[in-house]
C-alpha cells in the first residue's frame, strides 16, 4: 500500500476529511442525547447518567491501555495482513479474560449506587442487566478499528459510524416513546454498537486476517505494555467519571441529571477528539524519525490540540443561551456551568489525547508516580472545594484534568529524551 505523506498539507487534508465526517456522526449523537434529555424524566435521566458512566468506567478498566498497545504493535506490522491479524486476535483473547473480572467488581458497585438513589431492587437489577449489553459490545470496538485506522480507511469507517448513529437515533426515539426508562436507552445503545462492530469487522478483514490463532510472542509484547498502562487505566476508569460518582454519593439526583445534561453539551468535543484519534494518533504511531523530530511532531500536535480546545470553549460560551434552550426547561438555570463544562471537557481531551500519543510510542509515564501525584491533587481539591455542589464538582474536574495533561506532557518530553 502506498505510504501516506507525513507532510503538514497531507495531515491537514486527512484532518479536514475526517472532521467533515465527524460533524455528521457527532451531530447525530448530539441529537440522540438531547432526545434522551427531553424524553426522560429528571430521575430517569440521572439513572441513565450513572449507568452510562459505569459503562464508560468498566470499558476503560477492561481496556487497560490494550487499545493503544494494539496500535503500537500494529504500527510495526501494519503492512503484514497475517501479523496484523494476530495482533488483533491476540488482543481479543486478553480482553475477554479481563472483562469477566471487571464485571464481577463493577456490577455490585453500580447496584449500590442505584439503590442509594431510591431505586427498587428489581429496577436496579434490570438497569444492571441492561448495562452488560453496551459493555459487552464495547469489548472489541476499539480493537477492530485498529486495522482500518492504521491503513487510514477513514471514509468507509465513517460511513459505518454514521449509519450506526442514525440507527441508534431512530431506535432511541421509538424505544423511549414506548418505554421511557433508562434501561431501554442502554439496550438500544448495546444493540446498535453490536451491529456496528460487525460492519467494522468486515471492513478490517482485507487488512488483517481475523481467523488466525493468537500468537504467544505478540501476547507477551501486549502484556508487557499492558502491565505498564493498566495502573493508569484503573485510575482513569474512576477519575474519568469522578464528578458523576461523587454527585451520586454526595449530591442530589438533580445534580447527577444536570451533570449528564452538561455532558451532552461537552460531547461536541468528541468531534475534535475522534478526529485527532483517527488521523493524528495512528500516523504518529507510524513515524520512523529521530527522537528530535518525534518531539517536534509531538509539540505540533499539542499546539493543534490547545487551539482546538480554545475554539471549542469560545463557541460554547458564545452560544450557551441557545444550548440551554435546546436542553429544555429542566436545565434552564445552567448558564454559568456551561462555560465550566466546556473548560473541563477541553482539558480532558488534552489529557486523554496526550496520553494516547505517549502510549502509541511506548513512552508511557511511570504509572505509580503519576497516579500518586494525581491522587494527591484530587485529595487536596476535595478538601478545598465543596463537592456536594454542581460548581464544586465542575471545578474539581477542571483542575484534575489540567494536572493530568501537564504531567503527561512533561513525562513524554522526559521519556523521549531518554530513549
Amino acid at each position: 500500500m502506498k505510504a501516506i505523506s507525513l507532510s503538514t498539507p497531507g495531515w491537514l487534508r486527512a484532518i479536514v476529511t475526517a472532521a467533515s465526517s465527524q460533524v455528521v456522526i457527532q451531530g447525530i449523537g448530539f441529537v440522540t442525547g438531547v432526545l434522551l434529555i427531553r424524553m426522560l424524566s429528571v430521575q430517569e435521566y440521572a439513572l441513565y447518567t450513572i449507568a452510562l458512566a459505569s459503562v464508560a468506567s468498566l470499558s476503560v478498566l477492561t481496556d487497560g491501555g490494550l487499545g493503544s498497545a494494539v496500535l503500537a504493535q500494529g504500527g510495526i506490522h501494519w503492512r503484514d495482513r497475517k501479523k496484523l491479524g494476530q495482533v488483533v486476535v491476540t488482543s481479543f483473547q486478553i480482553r475477554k479474560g479481563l472483562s469477566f473480572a471487571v464485571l464481577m467488581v463493577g456490577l455490585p458497585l453500580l447496584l449500590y449506587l442505584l439503590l442509594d438513589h431510591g431505586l427498587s431492587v428489581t429496577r436496579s437489577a434490570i438497569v444492571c442487566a441492561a448495562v452488560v449489553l453496551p459493555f459487552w459490545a464495547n469489548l472489541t470496538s476499539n480493537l477492530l478499528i485498529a486495522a482500518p485506522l492504521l491503513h487510514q480507511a477513514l471514509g468507509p469507517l465513517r460511513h459505518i459510524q454514521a449509519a450506526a448513529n442514525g440507527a441508534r437515533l431512530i431506535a432511541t426515539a421509538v424505544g423511549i416513546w414506548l418505554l421511557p426508562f433508562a434501561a431501554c436507552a442502554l439496550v438500544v445503545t448495546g444493540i446498535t454498537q453490536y451491529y456496528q462492530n460487525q460492519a467494522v469487522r468486515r471492513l478490517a478483514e482485507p487488512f488483517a486476517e481475523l481467523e488466525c490463532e493468537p500468537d504467544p510472542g505478540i501476547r507477551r509484547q501486549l502484556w508487557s505494555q499492558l502491565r505498564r498502562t493498566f495502573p493508569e487505566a484503573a485510575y482513569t476508569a474512576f477519575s474519568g467519571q469522578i464528578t458523576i460518582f461523587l454527585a451520586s454519593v454526595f449530591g442530589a439526583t438533580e445534580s447527577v441529571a444536570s451533570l449528564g445534561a452538561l455532558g451532552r453539551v461537552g460531547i461536541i468535543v468528541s468531534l475534535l477528539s475522534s478526529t485527532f484519534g483517527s488521523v493524528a494518533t495512528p500516523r504518529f504511531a507510524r513515524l520512523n524519525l529521530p527522537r528530535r523530530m518525534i518531539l517536534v511532531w509531538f509539540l505540533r500536535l499539542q499546539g493543534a490540540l490547545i487551539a482546538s480546545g480554545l475554539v471549542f470553549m469560545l463557541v460554547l460560551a458564545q452560544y450557551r443561551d441557545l444550548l440551554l434552550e435546546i436542553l429544555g426547561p429542566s436545565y434552564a438555570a445552567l448558564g454559568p456551568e456551561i462555560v465550566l463544562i466546556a473548560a473541563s471537557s477541553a482539558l480532558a481531551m488534552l489529557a486523554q489525547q496526550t496520553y494516547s500519543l505517549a502510549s502509541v510510542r511506548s513512552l508511557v509515564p511511570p504509572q505509580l508516580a503519576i497516579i500518586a501525584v494525581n491522587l494527591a491533587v484530587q485529595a487536596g481539591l476535595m478538601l478545598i472545594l465543596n463537592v456536594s455542589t454542581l460548581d464544586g464538582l465542575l471545578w474539581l474536574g477542571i483542575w484534575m484534568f489540567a494536572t493530568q495533561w501537564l504531567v503527561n506532557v512533561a513525562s513524554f518530553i522526559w521519556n523521549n529524551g531518554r530513549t
Side-chain angles (χ1 to χ4, degrees):
M1 179 171 287
K2 184 180 176 181
I4 298 174
S5 172
L6 295 179
S7 65
T8 300
W11 282 53
L12 289 176
R13 282 194 298 273
I15 288 171
V16 169
T17 301
S20 60
S21 301
Q22 282 296 322
V23 167
V24 176
I25 295 168
Q26 299 299 334
I28 297 172
F30 179 74
V31 172
T32 304
V34 171
L35 194 68
L36 287 168
I37 292 170
R38 285 185 164 270
M39 294 183 72
L40 292 176
S41 67
V42 171
Q43 183 186 26
E44 283 296 324
Y45 192 72
L47 298 176
Y48 175 75
T49 299
I50 295 170
L52 206 61
S54 299
V55 171
S57 292
L58 294 175
S59 298
V60 170
L61 191 58
T62 305
D63 179 76
L66 188 59
S68 296
V70 169
L71 275 178
Q73 288 298 313
I76 299 171
H77 305 295
W78 69 280
R79 290 185 176 88
D80 187 331
R81 181 174 179 268
K82 182 177 180 180
K83 204 71 174 178
L84 182 55
Q86 288 176 327
V87 172
V88 176
V89 170
T90 304
S91 69
F92 288 165
Q93 187 183 63
I94 294 173
R95 180 165 289 179
K96 285 179 181 178
L98 291 172
S99 64
F100 288 104
V102 168
L103 275 179
M104 292 304 100
V105 175
L107 286 181
L109 293 176
L110 173 59
L111 182 63
Y112 166 77
L113 289 176
L114 295 173
L115 292 173
D116 190 53
H117 276 266
L119 210 60
S120 67
V121 174
T122 301
R123 288 198 58 200
S124 297
I126 291 172
V127 173
C128 286
V131 159
V132 174
L133 191 56
F135 168 76
W136 209 257
N138 280 338
L139 286 181
T140 58
S141 57
N142 72 327
L143 302 179
L144 284 169
I145 66 172
L149 286 180
L150 287 166
H151 285 266
Q152 292 290 275
L154 301 182
L157 185 60
R158 298 307 174 216
H159 291 156
I160 291 170
Q161 291 172 333
N165 275 17
R168 184 187 171 211
L169 172 60
I170 296 170
T172 298
V174 175
I176 297 301
W177 180 68
L178 294 172
L179 295 169
F181 301 110
C184 180
L186 292 166
V187 170
V188 167
T189 299
I191 292 173
T192 52
Q193 181 65 56
Y194 169 79
Y195 283 105
Q196 179 179 332
N197 289 349
Q198 298 305 304
V200 174
R201 185 183 181 91
R202 290 191 293 272
L203 175 63
E205 284 174 347
F207 308 121
E209 187 178 327
L210 300 178
E211 301 301 326
C212 61
E213 293 295 320
D215 182 86
I218 292 174
R219 184 186 295 109
R220 285 192 296 270
Q221 292 170 335
L222 292 176
W223 270 113
S224 176
Q225 182 161 343
L226 197 59
R227 279 192 291 269
R228 297 196 301 272
T229 58
F230 190 81
E232 171 71 13
Y235 166 76
T236 302
F238 172 72
S239 66
Q241 305 293 331
I242 188 172
T243 54
I244 300 293
F245 294 141
L246 287 175
S248 300
V249 175
F250 299 110
T253 300
E254 290 76 12
S255 295
V256 179
S258 295
L259 280 171
L262 289 170
R264 289 297 169 178
V265 173
I267 203 174
I268 300 171
V269 81
S270 298
L271 166 65
L272 308 175
S273 187
S274 298
T275 301
F276 188 90
S278 61
V279 177
T281 303
R283 288 168 178 245
F284 190 66
R286 289 168 45 181
L287 290 179
N288 185 18
L289 298 171
R291 285 181 300 171
R292 184 179 64 84
M293 290 306 300
I294 293 294
L295 179 59
V296 168
W297 274 102
F298 174 77
L299 295 177
R300 286 182 182 178
L301 294 174
Q302 286 297 303
L305 284 170
I306 293 169
S308 300
L310 289 173
V311 170
F312 165 73
M313 290 172 59
L314 289 173
V315 169
L316 283 195
Q318 180 69 28
Y319 294 101
R320 61 181 176 181
D321 291 339
L322 175 61
L323 291 169
L324 289 174
E325 193 172 332
I326 292 173
L327 293 179
S330 298
Y331 308 96
L334 297 177
E337 286 78 8
I338 281 188
V339 178
L340 296 180
I341 199 66
S344 179
S345 299
L347 288 166
M349 176 191 70
L350 285 169
Q352 176 190 0
Q353 295 303 325
T354 300
Y355 183 79
S356 294
L357 291 175
S359 294
V360 298
R361 300 299 307 187
S362 296
L363 294 173
V364 292
Q367 299 299 288
L368 295 180
I370 298 303
I371 292 171
V373 170
N374 288 332
L375 286 175
V377 170
Q378 286 178 16
L381 289 171
M382 289 176 68
L383 291 174
I384 297 169
L385 300 170
N386 184 1
V387 294
S388 65
T389 66
L390 188 57
D391 281 0
L393 290 168
L394 292 173
W395 276 110
L396 174 66
I398 289 172
W399 289 112
M400 183 183 69
F401 290 128
T403 301
Q404 290 178 12
W405 169 55
L406 292 173
V407 169
N408 287 341
V409 169
S411 178
F412 181 95
I413 294 172
W414 172 260
N415 288 330
N416 185 69
R418 296 175 61 193
T419 54

